[in-house]
Structures are given as structure tokens and as C-alpha cells.
Amino acid sequence: MSMSDEKPQLRLAMDFITMYNTDLWGLDDYSKVYYRDSVSPKVFWDKSLDILEKVGIQGVELTVGLSDWRNALERYTTVDGFVRALGDRGLELCSGFYCGLLFNDPANWDRTEWMKPERQKEILAEVAAYADFIRAAGADIMVAGLPMRPLWNEPGAGFVDLAYAQKLADFINKMGLVTRQHGVRLALHAASGSVFWFRRDIDLFLTLTDPVFIDFCPDTAQILAGGTNPVSVLEDHSQRVSITHWKDVSGPARENMAMIKPAAHQEMYARVGSGAVDWAAWASKLRDVDYSGWALIELDAAADPAADLIAAREYMEEHALPAYYR
């Protein structure tokens, strides 16, 4: 958030999930993008950064799988080498997405694994190392997804009730303490199908977590898919927002969409400007709450990343940014 008398500014970025189209990498299964070794780091990073150089954005957000921070180190040897590779193309790191609460093994999205004491120790060590990389690369935000909701008919699934939320929030607070000790803020990301999706979920976890340690990353498409206007969520939780994801969706999810596998959510999403998000209202509210920072354009597995990102950027420049800079 802006803390001075300077006019607020938005900087455009994108999450690397935009680059996760299987045809782009010769993969035969979408799940393989979540594995670090599906494509060699050299091939992935060289091709990705060459594509992004043409797009006209300023920042990138790392995520799980092919763009994992450890793959960046394998390609560039040092953090400085990675930063130089970005800088040579007019880019910088704005944030890193952490998926360790969603899954450890990409083949096993076990929503209860985070509860195991041994896994909690691993998670805290992972976020510490990841935070060190993010900070050394010049950024200071780690975005975190939360576990998936149980399937509605899953035997013994349980509920996302106060007892569950309190346990998860307590551990999230510990994660936030660790990242802060390493110079990085932790921001919770609202995601379709997760326990941090519906308006009630967002209110609940932002109430139970400590605002000193835990920020909020609203995602326009994910929140709207959960049946809530992202503008109203932003208005109520603006003081917690440290980064924003700009994504479009056809509309609220169909009945029980929250209770099916994550891959089935893909069909909901739309290219920026062709969905139901009111971009002018979103940008205007960001201005009203004095948000200044990153606006991450997110296009899941774009068929033509360069063309699609350029089209999204141009749409934002014509239809959203004028409302922000009015």
C-alpha cells in the first residue's frame, strides 16, 4: 500500500502459469508442468524469457513446477545470474508463489498433509529458503495458496469449520513469521476450490491470521468464480493487500464446481476482457484504496503467450488503467 503523498502507480507483471501450455513444451499431460524435471531448465528459461521480452510487462512471479526457483538456480547458477537474465529483457522478479500447503508431490494433492508435524517442519524450511531467494532477487512478497476443499462426497471429508480454520491459521502465522524473518511478506491467495475461496473463507482466514505477518493477494477471477464481487472484497480488506492477480472468468462457478478436481476449473477462465470481471470498477477501487504495486496479468496455460499477454496488456491499458489513473 502507498504510504506517501506520491500518486499511486501500477506495474504490470505475470505469473509463470501463463507459460504452462503443454504444446509450448511438447508435453502430453498438463500435470507434467507441475514437475520441475519435465523440461530442462535451460530450455524453459531461455524460451520463456525470450517470449516475455516482447510483451511489454515489467515483472514476473515464479510458481511451482517448471518455473520453480530451484530450476532458476540450476539454469543461472546464482541469484545474480537470474536477476541479470531478467534485467537483460527489461524484467524483474516481483514475487514467488508457494504451493506447499496444496501439495508436496504433484501427483498427490493431499489436503491434509500440511497437518503432519514432519511436513510442517519441511514447509517452514522450504519457505525460509524460498524467501532468501526472493529477497536476494530484489523482491519481498511470497504468495501462498491454501489447501483444496474436500470433495463434497469424499468419505470422512470433514468441514472447513472454525476448528479446522484455527489450526491452519495458526500454522500460516508461523509461516508468515519465518518469511518476515527472511525479509519477505506472505500473502494469501484466493483460489477456486481451495479453503480460501468463498467470501466467508476470505473473511474467516483474514480474521484468524495476524495482519502483522499475513497479507492478502486477491485474484479477480477466483473470487468472482466463488460467487463474490472482487471489488467488495477489496474494499473490505484493502489494508491487507500487498499484491494483486488480474484474471478473467466466465462467471460464478456452476453448482458443486468447488467440489471437483482442480483441473476441471480450467474451463471457467477466460482471456482478459472476454469474461465477467468489471475491470474498470476493479481498477477504480484499487485507486480509491490507494493501492500501489504489482498488477499480475494471469492467463492459465496461454496457447500463444506473447500474443495473449500483449492483447491482455493492451486491453488493460485501454479499459482498466484509465480508471485507475483518472
Side-chain angles (χ1 to χ4, degrees):
M1 303 298 295
S2 174
M3 299 300 291
S4 72
D5 293 332
E6 296 180 3
K7 293 182 179 180
Q9 299 286 322
L10 289 178
R11 306 185 70 200
L12 298 181
M14 69 105 225
D15 184 282
F16 267 101
I17 198 169
T18 299
M19 310 297 293
Y20 283 6
N21 186 284
T22 54
D23 291 340
L24 193 64
W25 307 109
L27 300 175
D28 58 6
D29 185 339
Y30 181 73
S31 67
K32 291 183 179 179
V33 301
Y34 292 110
Y35 290 87
R36 291 174 50 201
D37 59 356
S38 294
V39 178
S40 80
K42 177 173 173 53
V43 169
F44 175 80
W45 287 106
D46 290 0
K47 185 172 184 176
S48 294
L49 296 192
D50 286 346
I51 289 172
L52 293 176
E53 186 176 16
K54 310 170 186 175
V55 170
I57 60 173
Q58 298 166 284
V60 295
E61 178 177 88
L62 303 179
T63 191
V64 67
L66 300 180
S67 68
D68 183 274
W69 65 275
R70 291 160 293 191
N71 275 17
L73 281 179
E74 185 173 338
R75 167 63 184 94
Y76 299 107
T77 307
T78 65
V79 179
D80 287 344
F82 174 60
V83 171
R84 283 195 300 271
L86 292 179
D88 288 345
R89 295 164 175 86
L91 299 166
E92 64 183 271
L93 183 68
C94 63
S95 50
F97 198 101
Y98 179 70
C99 290
L101 288 172
L102 283 79
F103 58 80
N104 182 20
D105 177 0
N108 180 25
W109 290 48
D110 182 352
R111 66 180 186 83
T112 64
E113 188 175 27
W114 68 268
M115 298 179 183
K116 301 173 183 177
E118 62 272 21
R119 178 58 187 150
Q120 291 190 359
K121 291 179 182 178
E122 292 174 352
I123 289 172
L124 294 180
E126 288 168 3
V127 298
Y130 195 5
D132 283 342
F133 177 90
I134 290 170
R135 193 73 190 110
D140 62 2
I141 299 173
M142 183 184 299
V143 181
L146 300 195
M148 300 303 294
R149 300 183 78 88
L151 302 183
W152 71 271
N153 60 350
E154 183 180 332
F159 304 99
V160 183
D161 56 12
L162 185 59
Y164 171 89
Q166 186 66 69
K167 291 179 182 178
L168 180 54
D170 287 347
F171 185 60
I172 293 168
N173 282 333
K174 293 176 183 177
M175 293 171 60
L177 172 61
V178 169
T179 62
R180 281 294 300 274
Q181 290 172 336
H182 291 257
V184 172
R185 298 193 64 88
L186 186 69
L188 302 185
H189 174 261
S192 58
S194 78
V195 301
F196 191 64
W197 183 22
F198 301 125
R199 177 58 189 264
R200 168 269 196 181
D201 301 338
I202 295 170
D203 293 343
L204 177 61
F205 280 99
L206 290 183
T207 297
L208 292 176
T209 52
D210 190 334
V212 172
F213 300 102
I214 305 300
D215 291 355
F216 177 35
C217 173
D219 183 306
T220 50
Q222 314 277 13
I223 293 172
L224 182 56
T228 301
N229 185 343
V231 174
S232 69
V233 173
L234 174 63
E235 185 171 28
D236 289 348
H237 296 292
S238 62
Q239 294 302 312
R240 301 284 289 274
V241 175
S242 56
I243 193 166
T244 57
H245 279 195
W246 296 39
K247 186 174 183 176
D248 219 335
V249 67
S250 58
R254 297 191 306 273
E255 184 178 5
N256 287 337
M257 179 64 81
M259 314 309 172
I260 65 177
K261 296 295 184 180
H265 297 184
Q266 291 287 332
E267 65 188 66
M268 298 187 302
Y269 302 132
R271 291 295 174 248
V272 171
S274 64
V277 173
D278 185 338
W279 290 108
W282 170 252
S284 179
K285 181 55 66 175
L286 285 171
R287 172 62 182 250
D288 291 346
V289 301
D290 198 31
Y291 173 80
S292 186
W294 292 104
L296 273 80
I297 299 171
E298 190 176 340
L299 311 170
D300 279 19
D304 186 341
D308 290 344
L309 279 167
I310 289 171
R313 174 181 57 77
E314 291 176 344
Y315 180 89
M316 292 303 183
E317 290 171 346
E318 181 176 355
H319 298 281
L321 298 190
Y324 182 84
Y325 290 112
R326 69 187 188 279

